[in-house]
C-alpha cells in the first residue's frame, strides 16, 4: 500500500492529518505538482483526474478523493471515530464536513488557484474575477462558523472529527492565499489555535 502525496498541497494534507489522528502509518510516494509530475501519462493511469492524494492498495485498487481515502481507513481502524457513530452523529459530522468543504476549503482554493502565480500552469485559464467573487463568501461563512463555535469546542460538536480536519486545512490554506480570519472571529481563532496545537497538525 502507498499514498501518493502532494507535499504542501491541502488535500493530501487532509489525509495525512487524518492518519496521524488514527496513529496509522502509510508509506508516502511524493508527487511533485510543481514539476507537473501528476500530469504524466503514468500518473493518469493511477488517477485519470490527475489529482492527489491517491491511495494504492496492495491488490492494485486505487482510491482517490481525500474523504474516500479517509473513509477507507475509518472502516479498517474505527477508533477514534472521526466520522462519528450512529445516525445522528454521523449525519451531523457529514453536514459540517460538507459545509466546510463547500463554503470554506473550495472558495479558498478558488482564490488561490485563480490568483497565485505558481498556479498558472495548473489553473488554465486563471480567472481573477472568480477569485474576487469568492472572497466575500469566505468572510460570510467564517462569521457563521464563529457564531456556531461560541458554545461548542469543535466544528461538529464536543469531539474532534474529520470536519475539524477540513476546517484546519482550509484556514491554514488562507495564509498562502493572502487571506486572514477576521479579528472579530474570536471563536474561530480559539478553535483554530486548539486544533493547530494537536500533534497531527504537523502532518
Ligand atoms: N476532490 C479531490 C481534490 C484533489 C485535488 O484537487 N488535489 C490537488 C492538490 S490539493 C491537485 O492534485 N492539484 C493538481 C492540479 O490542480 O493539477 C480530493 O478531495 O482529494
Amino acid at each position: 500500500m502507498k499514498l501518493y502525496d502532494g507535499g504542501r498541497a491541502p488535500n493530501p494534507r487532509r489525509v495525512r492529518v487524518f492518519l496521524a489522528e488514527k496513529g496509522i502509518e502509510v508509506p508516502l510516494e511524493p508527487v511533485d505538482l510543481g514539476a507537473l509530475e501528476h500530469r504524466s501519462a503514468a500518473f493518469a493511469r493511477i488517477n485519470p483526474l490527475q489529482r492527489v492524494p491517491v491511495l494504492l492498495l496492495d491488490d492494485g485498487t486505487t482510491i482517490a478523493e481525500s474523504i474516500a481515502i479517509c473513509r477507507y481507513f475509518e472502516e479498517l481502524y474505527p477508533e477514534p471515530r472521526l466520522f462519528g457513530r450512529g445516525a445522528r452523529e454521523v449525519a451531523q459530522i457529514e453536514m459540517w464536513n460538507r459545509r466546510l468543504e463547500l463554503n470554506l476549503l473550495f472558495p479558498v482554493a478558488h482564490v488561490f488557484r485563480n490568483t497565485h502565480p505558481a498556479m498558472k500552469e495548473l489553473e488554465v485559464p486563471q480567472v481573477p474575477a472568480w477569485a474576487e467573487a469568492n472572497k466575500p463568501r469566505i468572510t460570510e461563512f467564517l462569521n457563521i462558523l464563529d457564531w456556531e463555535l461560541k458554545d461548542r469546542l469543535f466544528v461538529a460538536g464536543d469531539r474532534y472529527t474529520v470536519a475539524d480536519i477540513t476546517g484546519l486545512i482550509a484556514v491554514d490554506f488562507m495564509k498562502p492565499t493572502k487571506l486572514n480570519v477576521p479579528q472579530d472571529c474570536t471563536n474561530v481563532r480559539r478553535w483554530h489555535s486548539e486544533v493547530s496545537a494537536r500533534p497531527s497538525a504537523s502532518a
Side-chain angles (χ1 to χ4, degrees):
M1 175 191 288
K2 64 179 170 182
L3 181 67
Y4 289 93
D5 183 43
R8 282 180 301 168
N11 283 296
R13 185 171 169 235
R14 279 212 277 178
V15 175
R16 293 199 309 272
V17 172
F18 187 91
L19 293 173
E21 285 287 337
K22 294 252 182 206
I24 304 168
E25 282 185 27
V26 175
L28 299 181
E29 177 78 37
V31 179
D32 188 342
L33 300 183
L36 302 182
E37 215 181 307
H38 62 299
R39 294 286 171 95
S40 66
F43 194 79
R45 283 193 290 277
I46 295 164
N47 181 6
L49 271 66
Q50 296 175 298
R51 300 276 173 129
V52 285
V54 182
L55 181 68
L56 173 65
L57 303 185
D58 292 341
D59 69 358
T61 305
T62 50
I63 305 173
E65 299 300 328
S66 308
I67 292 298
I69 298 170
C70 292
R71 283 195 182 279
Y72 175 80
F73 286 111
E74 179 95 346
E75 282 292 314
L76 290 179
Y77 307 94
E79 299 297 338
R81 295 220 172 235
L82 297 175
F83 284 94
R85 183 198 304 270
R88 185 173 168 277
E89 191 189 37
V90 167
Q92 290 282 315
I93 294 168
E94 182 71 23
M95 174 181 78
W96 277 106
N97 190 55
R98 292 295 285 159
R99 284 176 169 172
L100 266 295
E101 282 183 339
L102 295 169
N103 300 288
L104 194 59
L105 181 58
F106 294 174
V108 173
H110 292 321
V111 178
F112 183 80
R113 295 180 69 96
N114 286 283
T115 55
H116 202 285
M119 296 304 293
K120 230 178 171 143
E121 285 180 87
L122 297 187
E123 189 69 26
V124 184
Q126 283 186 308
V127 182
W130 179 230
E132 286 310 309
N134 275 280
K135 286 182 185 173
R137 295 172 192 177
I138 293 166
T139 310
E140 193 184 327
F141 181 75
L142 284 170
N143 280 305
I144 293 169
L145 186 61
D146 195 66
W147 176 257
E148 293 285 335
L149 283 169
K150 77 179 180 353
D151 38 35
R152 62 178 188 264
L153 280 179
F154 296 105
V155 167
D158 287 328
R159 228 165 40 74
Y160 182 94
T161 68
V162 68
D164 294 288
I165 298 176
T166 300
L168 165 73
I169 269 73
V171 171
D172 286 351
F173 194 26
M174 290 176 71
K175 195 172 176 191
T177 310
K178 298 188 174 21
L179 298 168
N180 292 308
V181 174
Q183 285 298 332
D184 61 353
C185 286
T186 53
N187 301 308
V188 172
R189 288 172 167 271
R190 182 267 308 156
W191 159 83
H192 181 251
S193 74
E194 282 173 16
V195 293
S196 300
R198 297 171 78 91
S200 63
S202 54

